Amino acid sequence: MRRKAFTLIELLVVIAIIAILAAILFPVFAQAKEAAKKTQTLSQFKQVGTSSAIYITDSDDTYPLAFCYNNASAGTAVYPGATQWRWLNLHAVPAGSASNASRNVDPRKSEEATMVLNSLYPYTKSYAIYQAAGLTTVTSLTQAAGAPAQAPVGVSFNGLLHSYSATGVDRPSNCPLFWKGNYKENDLGTITSPNLICDGKDCRFNGSGLPSSGPTATDPISGGGAYGYVWWGFSNDTLYVYGKGMPWVMSDTSAKFINYGNMPLWPSFGSSTNTPWSAMDPNGIAGAPYWSVDCVRPGGTKGVDVFYWGYFRPDNDGSLGSAQCDVGAG
């Protein structure tokens, strides 16, 4: 009687075939998983944009606040006598969920409730949609005992729209509303980026000047008043949030995924002024941004008018060129 069985050679061949198939399919599965995260995040950010559109109809056509106001401040050593907007500070989401610097008690709790991601909650009905899928969460603020849990935040508001009129946006389909402004992470304790630099009680984007009548004109951070905004760096600064790009929501609430895989490394730079950056950091992690495209007002003159981040300017009418923008040649 003969017994039938696989030979050692046959088993090795089968194992080799399985290994080859696994090597081919695993990257495909990884790409599919990444695509699913990208789609989920884009959908959630789109919901945030839609919620802001409803908010605007209830607030006299005005965008929410990118940061809250400190009613108790009498100024600082740098700005004596100045009132203080918290454009330099992290905000707790939801308001009162963090204990740092009395964030969990009034008046600061109520003040931080006016920050965009908190003021939109009655319209979003969920803090979960602020999170970007599949990313590491970085903790910057301490959870307050007995308070609601801090929400991981991956979305960032365009702070140049702080308290700005929606009808004042020149091209709503081209002006960012929300984006992945803290790059490849979610944060417990968040800050809007870009932010206006405001040190007087008045604070609003001013296409032809500074956003505030306070002492910003001599602000060392803003370069002697040449810049009316600031943008923030994070521990995972890369435009390659999903694949080689990141999600954006524009002021008309349209959502899109923008790929940055073809951007040059500094000192080479792109010539387009219709992009947030013109070059990537040659010494940073893959996709790290290097040079933001700063622009003065349409028709303005560099060295005379105030710079803002050109791509985020609500008055960007599409005419901004080399006469108005520092793309990176300097």
Side-chain angles (χ1 to χ4, degrees), residues 74-261:
T76 67
V78 179
Y79 310 114
T83 50
Q84 292 288 290
W85 285 94
R86 291 194 174 100
W87 56 271
L88 277 168
N89 298 124
L90 297 171
H91 290 66
V93 179
S97 59
S99 60
N100 310 67
S102 301
R103 283 179 170 85
N104 57 326
V105 296
D106 283 329
R108 183 151 188 175
K109 178 180 177 180
S110 296
E111 290 167 353
E112 290 203 352
T114 65
M115 185 259 191
V116 52
L117 298 182
N118 289 320
S119 61
L120 285 183
Y121 178 73
Y123 302 90
T124 63
K125 303 297 184 182
S126 171
Y127 292 110
I129 64 173
Y130 298 152
Q131 183 174 0
L135 302 184
T136 300
T137 296
V138 176
T139 302
S140 299
L141 297 178
T142 303
Q143 176 66 38
Q150 293 184 72
V153 174
V155 68
S156 182
F157 182 56
N158 174 5
L160 304 193
L161 298 177
H162 168 91
S163 190
Y164 196 71
S165 171
T167 55
V169 177
D170 196 274
R171 296 189 303 164
S173 62
N174 293 84
C175 178
L177 178 59
F178 291 100
W179 67 299
K180 193 65 191 73
N182 51 356
Y183 306 98
K184 202 166 185 173
E185 65 184 50
N186 294 302
D187 293 298
L188 299 182
T190 188
I191 191 166
T192 301
S193 184
N195 255 348
L196 296 173
I197 300 175
C198 289
D199 298 299
K201 192 165 186 178
D202 56 319
C203 179
R204 188 170 287 117
F205 172 78
N206 177 2
S208 58
L210 295 167
S212 171
S213 60
T216 312
T218 57
D219 184 350
I221 295 177
S222 69
Y227 293 83
Y229 86 101
V230 63
W231 67 286
W232 306 106
F234 292 82
S235 59
N236 293 293
D237 281 2
T238 176
L239 309 183
Y240 295 172
V241 178
Y242 299 112
K244 291 190 175 183
M246 61 168 59
W248 292 78
V249 178
M250 311 314 282
S251 296
D252 64 353
T253 73
S254 61
K256 58 184 177 181
F257 182 85
I258 302 179
N259 191 297
Y260 295 102

